[in-house]
């Protein structure tokens, strides 16, 4: 009985332990995460699946694309952000720069 | 292997593949391989005005490495199954 409880506790411990970087992402499963991608793209969405390449499947995704244009006359930089929402999205891992778990207030 | 298996489940469904050069192609997923190369049938380019030279392309092979996103059908695969498969994969199984 006690051994079973200890084994269960050890399993739970293993579930929350962060030993390597990818463990942090495992803890974000089913949570909304922030992903920064190449070519000035950012995603916010619920993490449904990932692998060691950081290929991911996200749900209810908001994508923000930032573009900078140079004004022809004043040479001022005009920063534009384009938003779109995608219900269910596969992201190829080679474009990923960083993944940030949700902010924990507890 | 997770995503290879996942895409195999999606064969026959409509997906939109967005490439790293911003070209977006919608079509029926015909097949996929271990590199996540994708073959699409009945394809059409989402922004036809911008890419008129792609008008006559009806099916195509897409090299996995040029894919940025695949926009998936929502009724694809059970989300709980995805979570379990991801945890198994994370444990190295």
């Amino acid at each position: 009985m006690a051994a079973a409880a200890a084994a269960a506790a050890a399993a739970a411990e293993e579930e929350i332990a962060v030993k390597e970087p990818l463990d942090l992402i495992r803890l974000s499963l089913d949570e909304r995460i922030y992903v920064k991608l190449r070519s000035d793209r950012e995603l916010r969405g619920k993490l449904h699946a990932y692998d060691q390449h950081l290929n991911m499947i996200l749900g209810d995704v908001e994508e923000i694309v930032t573009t900078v244009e140079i004004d022809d006359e004043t040479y001022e930089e005009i920063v534009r952000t384009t938003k779109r929402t995608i219900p269910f999205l596969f992201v190829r891992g080679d474009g990923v720069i960083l993944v940030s778990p949700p902010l924990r207030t507890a | 292997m997770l995503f290879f298996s996942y895409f195999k489940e999606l064969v026959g469904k409509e997906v939109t593949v967005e490439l790293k050069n911003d070209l977006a192609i919608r079509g029926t997923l015909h097949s996929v391989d271990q590199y996540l190369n994708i073959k699409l049938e009945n394809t059409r380019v989402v922004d036809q005005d911008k890419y008129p030279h792609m008008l006559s392309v009806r099916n195509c092979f897409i090299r996995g490495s040029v894919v940025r996103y695949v926009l998936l059908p929502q009724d694809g695969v059970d989300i709980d199954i995805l979570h379990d498969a991801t945890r198994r994969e994370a444990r190295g199984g």
Side-chain angles (χ1 to χ4, degrees):
Chain A
M1 212 47 188
E13 182 105 349
E14 192 178 337
E15 189 78 353
I16 56 167
V18 179
K19 291 176 189 151
E20 52 165 303
L22 278 176
D23 290 345
L24 197 66
I25 296 170
R26 190 190 66 222
L27 295 181
S28 309
L29 256 186
D30 210 20
E31 308 257 15
R32 287 191 78 79
I33 57 166
Y34 166 83
V35 183
K36 187 171 165 60
L37 296 172
R38 285 172 177 270
S39 60
D40 296 311
R41 281 160 203 270
E42 296 166 279
L43 302 175
R44 278 189 182 79
K46 203 172 187 188
L47 181 65
H48 290 313
Y50 71 90
D51 66 9
Q52 68 272 38
H53 308 289
L54 290 183
N55 294 324
M56 287 182 274
I57 289 176
L58 300 175
D60 291 323
V61 189
E62 181 187 57
E63 186 204 38
I64 301 170
V65 185
T66 308
T67 50
V68 179
E69 289 169 34
I70 309 282
D71 189 292
D72 288 341
E73 278 144 33
T74 63
Y75 297 107
E76 275 179 293
E77 289 189 349
I78 306 161
V79 180
R80 282 207 175 80
T81 58
T82 321
K83 279 190 196 179
R84 67 171 167 163
T85 58
I86 304 154
F88 212 54
L89 179 71
F90 166 81
V91 183
R92 192 173 164 92
D94 59 358
V96 174
I97 294 173
L98 72 85
V99 179
S100 170
L103 292 173
R104 285 179 208 282
T105 47
Chain B
M1 261 357 211
L2 197 170
F3 289 97
F4 176 37
S5 312
Y6 176 79
F7 278 112
K8 278 197 285 191
E9 295 286 316
L10 283 184
V11 163
K13 296 230 165 73
E14 278 265 300
V15 296
T16 305
V17 181
E18 189 177 312
L19 309 184
K20 288 185 175 135
N21 64 359
D22 291 330
L23 178 64
I25 307 170
R26 185 158 181 79
T28 309
L29 186 62
H30 172 274
S31 55
V32 64
D33 68 13
Q34 54 168 329
Y35 306 107
L36 305 186
N37 296 323
I38 288 172
K39 188 165 180 282
L40 292 181
E41 287 187 332
N42 302 314
T43 56
R44 60 192 175 281
V45 171
V46 173
D47 191 352
Q48 296 197 330
D49 299 339
K50 203 171 154 196
Y51 304 96
H53 56 285
M54 290 287 292
L55 267 175
S56 61
V57 178
R58 279 291 155 264
N59 50 65
C60 63
F61 172 96
I62 300 166
R63 186 178 154 99
S65 63
V66 302
V67 172
R68 180 189 290 133
Y69 300 139
V70 182
L71 284 69
L72 305 162
Q74 256 182 310
D75 57 346
V77 169
D78 192 306
I79 284 170
D80 292 326
I81 294 176
L82 260 185
H83 290 172
D84 291 346
T86 302
R87 291 209 176 85
R88 263 201 305 282
E89 185 101 346
R91 259 187 261 126

